[in-house]
Amino acid sequence: MRDALLRRPVTELDITTATPEAWATTLAAALGTHVVQLGDRFPLHRLPLEDGSIDLTALAGTLDEDLARRDFTVNALAVPLDRVPTNLNQLDPSEVIDQHNGLADLTARCLRLISEHALVEDPLRTLRAVRLAAELTFDLDPATQGAITSHAALLADIAPERVEHELTRLFATPRASEGIRLLERTALLDICFPELIEGRAVDQRPHHRLDVLQHALAASEWIDILLSPNPPADEPAATIWHATWDQPWPAIRWGDVRHHL
C-alpha cells in the first residue's frame, strides 16, 4: 500500500490471509503463473508476474498483531481486499488500516521502525532501511538510525545473496551515493565493504585533502552527479556537468559511455 499511496508504480503486492496456500493456488491459475515457496520461519508463497510479484503470507494472530510484526511504519499499512480499487493509485487513504502512524510518516517522508526487535528478527532490515531511504527519498528517523547502528554487526550472519539483492537495488537508485554515506554512518559499510574501511584515516596529503575512504565516497557522489539526466542546481557541480555533457566530443560517442555507466 505504501507505493500506491505515494503514487509510485506498484510492482509488489503483499496479501495476508488465513489460507495463503489456497489463495496462491487459485491466483496462480487465474493469472497464468506458478507458486514459489520461500522462507522457513515465516513461509511465503510468491507468484512471479511479468512486471512484479504477489506475495501471500499467513496472518500472524490478529491483524493488529500481524501489523506489529512489520519492519517500518510505512510498511504496516493494510486495506481489506474488498476495498482495494482496480487502479491502486486511486487508493483512498481513509480506507487504510494504520495502527502505527504510517500515514503520517509517509507525509513526512520518514522511515521509522515499529520495533527495534524487527532488526533482531531479520538483520537484513538494517540494510533494507538504507535502500528504502535512498529509493523513496526518505529520511531515517534518528532513533531508527541509532538502532541500525547498534545492530549492524548482525548483518554479517545474513546470506550473501540476500545482501547482494539489497545492495543492487540501492546502487540502481539515482541517490546511490547518499545511500553509501548512510551505510557509513550506520556502520553497515564496515560489514558490506570491509576493504573500503581500510582506507579510513589513511592520509593522502599533499595531493588530496581527503583520506582514502572519504575520497572513495566523494567519487561515488560525483558519479551520481555526472550520470544524472539533468544538470544539478548547485555549483561547481553544474559547471562540471555541463562541461562533460554539452561538448560535441567528435571523437567519442559520449552518450554511449553514459548509458553504459
Side-chain angles (χ1 to χ4, degrees):
M1 295 302 103
R2 180 198 69 220
D3 287 343
L5 291 165
L6 290 172
R7 302 299 186 257
R8 289 166 47 89
V10 178
T11 58
E12 301 172 358
L13 190 63
D14 295 327
I15 298 177
T16 299
T17 172
T19 55
E21 188 171 357
W23 268 81
T25 302
T26 301
L27 280 175
L31 298 172
T33 184
H34 59 283
V35 181
V36 179
Q37 302 284 348
L38 300 172
D40 296 319
R41 291 182 60 196
F42 306 107
L44 181 148
H45 308 270
R46 174 163 293 169
L47 278 59
L49 303 174
E50 184 177 343
D51 56 352
S53 63
I54 298 176
D55 289 347
L56 297 102
T57 55
L59 188 67
T62 66
L63 179 61
D64 288 357
E65 291 169 339
D66 187 274
L67 294 177
R69 283 188 46 251
R70 306 290 164 151
D71 46 12
F72 308 107
T73 61
V74 297
N75 290 342
L77 303 171
V79 179
L81 282 174
D82 61 356
R83 302 292 182 86
V84 177
T86 303
N87 183 346
L88 288 175
N89 286 330
Q90 295 178 353
L91 179 65
D92 184 349
S94 67
E95 302 285 2
V96 175
I97 300 169
D98 179 17
Q99 305 284 359
H100 302 280
N101 295 318
L103 290 174
D105 285 339
L106 274 183
T107 300
R109 305 193 76 82
C110 175
L111 199 64
R112 181 167 55 89
L113 277 168
I114 293 175
S115 167
E116 192 169 331
H117 178 70
L119 303 181
V120 178
E121 188 174 73
D122 184 0
L124 187 69
R125 288 165 168 166
T126 57
L127 185 55
R128 184 173 298 144
V130 173
R131 187 261 298 172
L132 283 172
E135 196 171 76
L136 301 174
T137 64
F138 276 30
D139 293 321
L140 277 185
D141 164 69
T144 294
Q145 182 170 321
I148 291 170
T149 305
S150 298
H151 296 289
L154 297 177
L155 186 64
D157 297 326
I158 296 300
E161 59 269 21
R162 296 185 70 205
V163 173
E164 180 203 19
H165 177 72
E166 290 293 339
L167 288 174
T168 300
R169 291 187 65 172
L170 171 61
F171 295 151
T173 74
R175 300 173 70 237
S177 60
E178 294 181 39
I180 295 170
R181 287 286 187 184
L182 194 50
L183 289 177
E184 185 203 14
R185 292 199 294 272
T186 55
L188 292 169
L189 196 68
D190 303 55
I191 308 300
C192 297
F193 300 104
E195 299 85 358
L196 281 178
I197 299 305
E198 293 180 11
R200 181 176 284 144
V202 177
D203 196 13
Q204 299 187 101
R205 286 176 291 187
H207 302 294
H208 299 286
R209 63 184 179 84
L210 302 174
D211 68 22
V212 172
L213 173 61
Q214 294 303 319
H215 194 157
L217 299 183
S220 74
E221 292 171 351
W222 279 102
I223 289 173
D224 273 357
I225 289 170
L226 291 178
L227 295 186
S228 171
N230 302 307
D234 59 315
E235 295 290 353
T239 297
I240 295 175
W241 188 96
H242 285 293
T244 302
W245 301 120
D246 290 349
Q247 300 299 323
W249 299 107
I252 303 175
R253 294 185 63 188
W254 201 234
D256 289 351
V257 175
R258 175 195 243 168
H259 177 73
H260 172 74
L261 293 174

